[in-house]
Amino acid sequence: MTIFSKLVSLDAKWPSDVLTSVSVNRAKLELIGASVLATVAVIKLYDLYDNDMLNFKTLKEKSFRLLICLPGVRGIAEKQLADVDNTISKTIQKMYNSQVFLSDLPQTGLSDEHILRELSDYSHIGKVDWQMGRASGTVYCDGNRKLNDLMTKVYDKTAYTNPLHPDVFPGINKMEAEIVRMVCNLFNGNNDSCGTLTCGGTESIILAVKAARDYGREAKGITRSEIVVPVTAHAAFQKAAQLLNIRIKFIDSDPISYKVDIKSMRRAITSNTVLLVGSACNYPHGIIDDIKSIAELGLKYSIPVHVDSCLGGFLVPFMRAAGYPIPSVDFSVAGVTSISADTHKYGYAPKGSSVIMYAHKKYRKHQFSVQTDWPGGIYATPTLAGSRCGANIANCWATLLSFGFDGYVEATKKIMKTQRFLKEELSKIDGIYIIGDPLMSVIAIKSDRFNIFRLSDKLSEMGWSLNPLQFPSAVHICLTLMHTKPEVVDSFLKDIKTVVNECLLTPKDNTGGLGVIYGMAQSLPDRSLVTDIASHYIDGIYTTEWSQTNGK
Ligand SMILES: *Cc1c(COP(=O)(O)O)cnc(C)c1O
């Protein structure tokens, strides 16, 4: 979930003032910006070796970054950030109902009853009723008691286990190996296929990118690694590129199908490319990229190909049996070398597990980390973590066994039936349209008649929580088992129709909320300002006291 949607879902009105001030100052910046465009020529001279500099957008960004460094301008920016801070603090105070924070250990330990009473209070803060299917994605299972009880019992038996010590907890390692094998088989892996469990999709992706980088170094001697990634692929690829210090080349989507444009992808390949990426399906629009064509590029240029099926991973293998066949996106496609699939999304396991798979051990080997000379011993770990929570592995394993193949097919049927129904009904609503032709569980909508964020703002006032998207402005709903109850879909459709009609009555209206934030955020040429605001939001989440100036 993105930061700005959180801000807005907390208080639909707050950002207007701040962002108006940001926009006003932005106007000032634009003015100065014009006169500084000359500077750009200079930067260009210094930076000519960098291809990106030939791109106007980047030029504009760089000139803004220079501007922000000028003392006067920096003052304005700092003032804005202080305002933003204050507003964020207020918003968060509201989110926590102004409750006081603990900041020191209790001198003497509290009783279990006391702690559980507190816990109950904490779990009741918040206004999105996810248990009623009001949130997009977020919680994928339908909250059935039976699964919940199983998880609690499994946790009870495995709470203190750690797969870092196979000699002490071999059972946990056996479970992990079995999960990986079962999931590789679901994805049509052969005997060479392999993988590891990770703590989530982001870790799976970071590891896939690391393995590709180090494989590229070994196999081809590539030292200035680049990965070629659809713009619609998950933000985790950017995180991976930052952490691993490799260059990421973004490829636009086809404007009609919203699948990554294969021709542009081919053009972006260089002798430094270590990985091509496709999604099945992607997070923003639920679109499945043309994996076969990406894999063909991979074969042609001998570059590994990763399929990100974090979101769809536990729908993909069951789509055919559920009666909703999709093109092959797994190891049966020649050229696919790694796949990520999240057990903690449609696998319905508690949060904290995902599977990263490889077509062959020669790739997985580069995921591992081995320190041979540490005084603490030879230290070898398969993933980013050292110690890991064995209970997560056990719970993931238990969930897979509890559902079984048929259980997942049933769940997939329910979700896909809901998706097809909703897709059909949404496409009949005048004033909005669906992005591309989503074949899986996500539906993204946009509008050319009114600001689409007014729709999500109003729906959020009605208790729904949709996810905002940008470039282009849109919102999506990610359907889970929670939404498969007829009363949930029906009330969602009813509410969406009401709101669309309202928006169409005043199509120019643009007040407050997400529209302002995303309008502002998308138009700011200097993305570092957006980064600053978002970082201050994270700071805010870690607030444990209300200062005098804050929260009034
Ligand atoms: C959710 C998601 C991820 C990463 O997920 P986390 O488990 O939140 O780290 C990666 N790719 C896609 C397409 C996703 O939807």
Side-chain angles (χ1 to χ4, degrees), residues 217-228:
R217 189 179 295 158
E218 183 192 73
K220 295 185 177 174
I222 298 173
T223 51
R224 296 178 57 173
S225 329
E226 299 172 359
I227 54 175
V228 175

Side-chain angles (χ1 to χ4, degrees), residues 215-223 270-271 273-274 298 301-304:
Y215 175 78
R217 189 179 295 158
E218 183 192 73
K220 295 185 177 174
I222 298 173
T223 51
T270 70
S271 54
T273 309
V274 295
Y301 298 99
S302 354
I303 299 168

Side-chain angles (χ1 to χ4, degrees), residues 121-173:
D121 287 350
Y122 280 61
S123 39
H124 287 102
I125 321 180
K127 68 171 197 182
V128 175
D129 202 349
W130 59 268
Q131 276 148 323
M132 295 300 288
R134 297 250 146 182
S136 164
T138 316
V139 181
Y140 289 74
C141 59
D142 57 6
N144 87 52
R145 271 314 322 161
K146 198 174 146 284
L147 186 61
N148 216 317
D149 288 345
L150 177 64
M151 295 299 100
T152 316
K153 285 180 192 146
V154 172
Y155 193 87
D156 184 49
K157 295 201 186 310
T158 52
Y160 292 95
T161 60
N162 179 358
L164 188 63
H165 308 286
D167 51 333
V168 188
F169 306 111
I172 295 290
N173 296 85

